[in-house]
Amino acid sequence: MIRRLALAATLALGAFDTAGAAEWHPYRHISQAPLGFWFVAVMVIGALLLFTYWAVERPVSGREASPSRKGYHALGALVLAMTVFTLLLYVVVAGRIDALGASDDAWAWSPGETLQDPGGSDMSGEPYRGYQVYRAEGCTYCHTMYVRPQDIATGWAPGATEADVSVPQDFANYPYTLLGTQRNGPDLSIIGRQIPDMSYQIAHLQNPRQFKPNSIMPRYDYMSQDDLQDLAAYLVSLGNDPRKLKAGTLDDADTATGSGGPSVPTDTDTPAAQGKKLYSSLGCVGCHSTDGARNVGPTFQGLYGHDVALESGETVTADDGYLTRAIRDPKADIVKGYPAVMPAAYGDMSDADLDALIAFIESLSDDSGSH
Amino acid sequence: MIDRAIKLWFFSALVWLVIGPAIGAFQSLQFIAPDWMNFLSAIALPYSKLRIVHTNTVILGWIVMTFISAALFMVPRLCNTPLRFPQLAYAAGWIWNAALVLDLVLIWAAIPDSFWLSIQAGEYAEAPLLVDVMIVAAVVCVIASLHLTVFARERPHLYVSVWYLLGGLYTTAITYLVGNFLVLAFSGEGYQVIEAWWLHNAVGMIITPLGLGTAYYIVPLAAQQPLYSHRLSIVGFWTLMAFYPGTGLHHFLQMPVPIWINEFAVISSVLLGIPVLAVVTNFLATPRGNWSRAFDSYPLRFAALGTLYYLATCLQGPFQATAAVNWYVHFTEWVQAHAHLALAGAFTCYGMAAGYYMFPRITGRQLYSRGLASVTFWCMVIFFPIFYIGFTWSGVATGASINLMGNTIYQTINITWIPRLSRTITGTVVVVGFIAYVWLLLRSLRVGAPYESGMNEVPEMGIETPFEEARA
């Protein structure tokens, strides 16, 4: 009902809008504003300035007279009209945006739909419900959900590209939005593409400082397994094309882990591809990037076969032996300029897993070529 | 009954004043020693929920409740007639308190998918729908009681405080309805646009008119001077009411909406300078010739201090709303610092001014200690600005690190802990000041000297009688 009214108002005022919906581009210049806007702006600003002028300059006799009874009513009516008008302005914009509809790759999960963990575990969760959990837990007070054009060039949105800049159509399927006004932590609009792995997301939620020693994010280890899985499913759904996720065909070209370095084989049987899965599921992704970016630990890109400077002053070549040692016994050699925070818990991983991981790291080096 | 209604709102506000800011200071530890705060996760109350608790208790609990008690006190006096239907206002007080408690419980419970019981998505509008209904009911009761009083007034002309307080209650109701109910009609980004309308009006159309109305009452009475200019008060009131509603989207500059609607919000924000200068001039010019009243009158001191903070906030606001500044400070703690300058600085000072003024008059007790009253005052004068500067510094440092040096947020944590530590320490001192204020009032209930009309709120300078003697 209210929605209908709002839409009707929108259409009525839309008469002022000379541009069609297709041209409703978010960042168009102010000179392209519709006629209605200028009308409102001139009216509002003009009314204010005129009123101020009148109130300051109007002659008053004797003791300062306050306005008459009629004067009050007139002013009250004027202000009410203004308030309704400005509200209407917002309503019009909101209505127009609603009417735009969703883009093809916009987030589109309805209640009850489940997502199978693309990270390879047998977990699944409901992204829609995860979104509700995200709201209820208040994550939005530290994380935002939109990328501005300027974020690309700065440190606000590492890994985001031009194509990730938010447009209104991205949010059309959300019942309500949590864009956020505060970034105490990173923007999450593309987190699912960067780390498409529910196991990692859950482990990070439960204890963020296990991966990021300086993180200020609270632990969410009190949440029920259901809530955690739904929330993780929601995080994984962010920045990924929902059609591909639903079909289970999220390929490497879609993930940052694949897009950064040389392409990784997609055949699930090769050791490198298995290693890539382990890289997410064991949580290496929380500290090591594959696109050259510095994180808590050094990047894996171009690591294999290259020289590594150690804290001890020595330089070693990153071959199979060194990598085995680095993973099995992280405290043995510490890379220069990095803290010794890599967990020692990987010591007892199976040889097969270790080989897969090393194959994966090797595949990220230029000169190793394809595997 | 009238007294009971006022007292209920007044003392409930004091209780929330002890809780709200203390939670704020406490949760700031999350930013410097997150591991100490792990125990909060054990009770399912991590930072993210505590923050909602903090904002809801300080805004709805302390600030709005104290101003409503002031409205119940002032409007009948200005109309020269007793409050009508005080039962309504009294019942509203209990509804309001119950709503807040329920709100806090539901925030903690974090039910993800219930229509009535889940928290809402809008910032400051988190209260679940069930709570919203209670709050609207309470506001309607208060409006009914006050407006009937105004109808029955014995003075034809309405003093400016009455416009602000009554008008403010109406805008409170309207804004609340938009922010909590109308927004439900929209989805997607449309939701965010309406939410933005609410977001700033929660401050501009709820707290500001109520706070300014209170100050308009206190300043001339405490300074024992007539109001400087009624004309200015007209300019200030009507331009505020006309101009505030359009500003909300300046919280989301560069959100993917048409740039011109943002531009409209920015222009409105800058134009807010008109009402602000009008009001501030009026307040600071009224005590001219009698500033020495400030030695004795704590209400005057706090009202003047609040006005200075109000001026600072309102100069900062338009400044940071312009795109040229906003790109640098957006998403950082600069903005939160600004919100504290307005709410914990300006409006808390006005609330305390009202408290110091009303307390003797509703309880019949003078405040028992001049020294403690001075402590609360100097705490706000000295430590609040340092607190604010530390907070802002954190925002500036974050902005430099991320915008200019290209660091990520995670890397920035390594530098911001220094200002954040300063903010925690000085913030704690400010909170202690608030608690001292509440203590002072509560203790005066028992040991304050009897108050008779015409006396000063605090025993005057020079006659420092120990309170035991004063009682005898």
Side-chain angles (χ1 to χ4, degrees):
Chain A
M1 174 60 197
I2 306 181
R3 207 191 161 89
R4 290 246 176 77
L5 279 180
L7 275 177
T10 309
L11 285 180
L13 265 118
F16 291 116
D17 191 344
T18 46
E23 294 158 52
W24 191 256
H25 188 272
Y27 300 110
R28 72 177 166 190
H29 192 262
I30 182 143
S31 63
Q32 290 164 277
L35 214 58
F37 168 70
W38 293 113
F39 177 69
V40 173
V42 168
M43 233 196 70
V44 167
I45 297 168
L48 176 84
L49 295 179
L50 269 179
F51 172 72
T52 311
Y53 178 79
W54 169 76
V56 173
E57 292 297 331
R58 113 197 128 99
V60 278
S61 56
R63 69 180 192 89
E64 274 190 305
S66 33
S68 65
R69 215 165 230 285
K70 256 191 231 145
Y72 277 131
H73 287 288
L75 280 176
L78 181 79
V79 165
L80 204 65
M82 284 275 322
T83 312
V84 171
F85 218 73
T86 34
L87 177 59
L88 219 62
L89 195 67
Y90 276 55
V91 168
V92 167
V93 172
R96 288 297 302 254
I97 290 179
D98 268 11
L100 279 181
S103 50
D104 282 348
D105 56 355
W107 188 88
W109 296 85
S110 24
E113 268 182 298
T114 56
L115 176 156
Q116 184 63 39
D117 181 11
S121 80
D122 50 10
M123 276 189 287
S124 64
E126 292 176 25
Y128 185 92
R129 192 166 172 284
Y131 186 58
Q132 296 177 315
V133 173
Y134 182 93
R135 165 187 64 170
E137 295 296 331
C139 312
T140 183
Y141 297 101
C142 287
H143 293 288
T144 60
M145 204 67 92
Y146 69 113
V147 181
R148 305 170 297 167
Q150 74 197 56
D151 290 345
I152 311 275
T154 57
W156 285 117
T161 63
E162 283 298 331
D164 296 321
V165 172
S166 304
V167 293
Q169 289 91 332
D170 291 348
F171 305 96
N173 298 318
Y174 282 117
Y176 47 82
T177 42
L178 290 162
L179 296 187
T181 54
Q182 176 81 26
R183 284 181 182 163
N184 291 326
D187 183 86
L188 295 181
S189 357
I190 55 167
I191 189 72
R193 196 178 74 212
Q194 286 172 326
I195 312 181
D197 188 290
M198 283 173 58
S199 327
Y200 169 77
Q201 296 294 0
I202 292 181
H204 176 265
L205 282 170
Q206 286 179 321
N207 185 2
R209 278 170 289 288
Q210 153 196 8
F211 301 107
K212 310 283 169 87
N214 294 333
S215 177
I216 52 167
M217 177 159 148
R219 287 187 182 199
Y220 289 92
D221 46 4
Y222 59 87
M223 285 162 62
S224 72
Q225 188 62 24
D226 276 352
D227 285 358
L228 277 173
Q229 289 195 11
D230 290 342
L231 184 54
Y234 173 61
L235 292 172
V236 166
S237 76
L238 289 169
N240 283 318
D241 188 333
R243 292 164 300 186
K244 289 189 176 161
L245 263 186
K246 288 176 195 175
T249 56
L250 198 64
D251 51 57
D252 296 290
D254 290 328
T255 60
T257 41
S259 65
S263 69
V264 179
T266 46
D267 181 352
T268 42
D269 286 325
T270 65
Q274 279 167 10
K276 181 174 180 320
K277 289 220 173 88
L278 291 168
Y279 162 76
S280 302
S281 60
L282 293 177
C284 323
V285 58
C287 302
H288 296 281
S289 78
T290 53
D291 57 0
R294 186 191 161 106
N295 201 332
V296 178
T299 181
F300 284 165
Q301 188 187 36
L303 169 64
Y304 193 88
H306 288 238
D307 285 351
V308 177
L310 300 180
E311 274 306 342
S312 57
E314 293 169 56
T315 304
V316 292
T317 307
D319 52 14
D320 288 2
Y322 167 76
L323 290 179
T324 308
R325 206 163 58 242
I327 297 171
R328 278 264 155 88
D329 185 10
K331 299 278 178 299
D333 309 307
I334 306 297
V335 183
K336 194 169 170 62
Y338 286 89
V341 293
M342 177 156 156
Y346 301 119
D348 36 311
M349 81 169 60
S350 71
D351 286 346
D353 284 357
L354 186 70
D355 291 344
L357 274 171
I358 293 177
F360 169 61
I361 295 174
E362 193 180 341
S363 74
L364 293 168
S365 255
D366 298 333
D367 36 48
S368 75
S370 67
H371 217 54
Chain B
M1 196 63 200
I2 297 179
D3 262 10
R4 277 173 70 194
I6 301 177
K7 281 186 193 162
L8 173 64
W9 286 90
F10 185 82
F11 287 104
S12 315
L14 292 188
V15 173
W16 295 116
L17 176 62
V18 173
I19 301 174
I23 291 180
F26 171 68
Q27 72 186 5
S28 69
L29 284 173
Q30 178 75 38
F31 292 82
I32 40 186
D35 272 328
W36 294 358
M37 308 298 268
N38 284 344
F39 77 94
L40 286 175
S41 301
I43 54 168
L45 199 63
Y47 165 81
S48 47
K49 288 186 198 168
L50 265 188
R51 179 188 141 126
I52 312 179
V53 170
H54 171 63
T55 54
N56 279 238
T57 41
V58 295
I59 295 178
L60 294 176
W62 155 241
I63 296 202
V64 177
M65 284 198 95
T66 201
F67 287 149
I68 288 185
S69 79
L72 295 174
F73 175 89
M74 292 165 184
V75 172
R77 279 172 174 74
L78 289 168
C79 296
N80 209 14
T81 185
L83 184 68
R84 297 303 137 108
F85 294 106
Q87 302 87 339
L88 273 182
Y90 182 71
W94 283 115
I95 301 179
W96 190 285
N97 275 324
L100 262 178
V101 172
L102 184 65
D103 183 26
L104 302 193
V105 171
L106 289 174
I107 290 168
W108 171 77
I111 302 162
D113 46 12
S114 150
F115 183 73
W116 290 104
L117 303 180
S118 291
I119 63 168
Q120 294 201 56
E123 207 170 336
Y124 307 147
E126 293 93 352
L129 274 179
L130 181 61
V131 175
D132 292 336
V133 172
M134 293 167 74
I135 288 192
V136 170
V139 175
V140 169
C141 290
V142 173
I143 291 183
S145 166
L146 278 178
H147 210 152
L148 289 173
T149 313
V150 173
F151 279 143
R153 69 187 182 275
E154 284 183 6
R155 290 189 183 132
H157 283 298
L158 295 174
Y159 177 65
V160 48
S161 282
V162 183
W163 316 344
Y164 270 112
L165 292 172
L166 195 60
L169 283 169
Y170 275 103
T171 49
T172 299
I174 297 172
T175 311
Y176 208 86
L177 289 172
V178 171
N180 292 278
F181 296 95
L182 179 68
V183 346
L184 298 177
F186 296 87
S187 63
E189 223 197 357
Y191 184 99
Q192 201 75 41
V193 172
I194 302 297
E195 205 267 299
W197 193 90
W198 144 268
L199 179 63
H200 203 82
N201 289 346
V203 183
M205 303 299 284
I206 297 184
I207 297 169
T208 303
L210 294 178
L212 294 183
T214 310
Y216 262 116
Y217 184 90
I218 305 273
V219 172
L221 279 177
Q224 294 167 348
Q225 291 284 316
L227 186 67
Y228 174 64
S229 160
H230 283 282
R231 218 198 270 216
L232 272 180
S233 64
I234 296 175
V235 177
F237 178 76
W238 297 107
T239 48
L240 179 90
M241 288 297 178
F243 264 79
Y244 232 119
T247 55
L249 267 175
H250 65 206
H251 285 262
F252 293 95
L253 292 184
Q254 297 147 322
M255 178 173 93
V257 291
I259 189 129
W260 50 264
I261 179 87
N262 279 336
E263 215 65 48
F264 180 83
V266 173
I267 296 172
S268 298
S269 312
V270 174
L271 286 174
L272 278 181
I274 297 178
V276 169
L277 290 180
V279 165
V280 169
T281 314
N282 226 353
F283 285 171
L284 293 185
T286 295
R288 75 201 176 290
N290 200 13
W291 272 113
S292 59
R293 263 297 284 161
F295 287 118
D296 273 325
S297 173
Y298 286 87
L300 179 58
R301 287 196 199 181
F302 272 99
L305 183 64
T307 305
L308 292 180
Y309 288 152
Y310 181 67
L311 178 64
T313 316
C314 293
L315 292 180
Q316 189 192 14
F319 171 71
Q320 72 196 15
T322 55
V325 181
N326 194 269
W327 75 272
Y328 183 89
V329 301
H330 197 41
F331 295 135
T332 72
E333 276 156 0
W334 169 290
V335 181
Q336 290 176 324
H338 171 72
H340 280 82
L341 186 57
L343 298 195
F347 290 107
T348 296
C349 279
Y350 286 158
M352 287 161 79
Y356 279 127
Y357 183 84
M358 286 157 56
F359 179 85
R361 292 172 173 83
I362 57 179
T363 63
R365 296 277 182 185
Q366 267 190 320
L367 295 164
Y368 82 93
S369 163
R370 209 189 159 82
L372 200 54
S374 293
V375 168
T376 60
F377 177 71
W378 290 106
C379 182
M380 284 306 277
V381 175
I382 298 171
F383 288 99
F384 182 80
I386 310 182
F387 161 69
Y388 166 76
I389 288 168
F391 219 143
T392 305
W393 167 19
S394 175
V396 175
T398 309
S401 165
I402 301 181
N403 291 317
L404 305 180
M405 293 151 70
N407 290 330
T408 62
I409 295 173
Y410 180 63
Q411 289 163 337
T412 307
I413 295 174
N414 294 337
I415 53 162
T416 43
W417 68 269
I418 309 169
R420 281 168 169 170
L421 182 64
S422 124
R423 140 185 113 167
T424 300
I425 295 170
T426 48
T428 310
V429 180
V430 172
V431 169
V432 170
F434 292 160
I435 293 175
Y437 165 77
V438 174
W439 169 256
L440 171 62
L441 296 197
L442 294 186
R443 182 116 177 100
S444 301
L445 269 185
R446 310 227 358 239
V447 303
Y451 170 87
E452 269 144 44
S453 113
M455 285 166 93
N456 199 31
E457 295 82 17
V458 190
E460 298 210 16
M461 282 273 235
I463 37 171
E464 288 280 32
T465 35
F467 51 85
E468 284 83 4
E469 273 176 46
R471 278 174 86 200

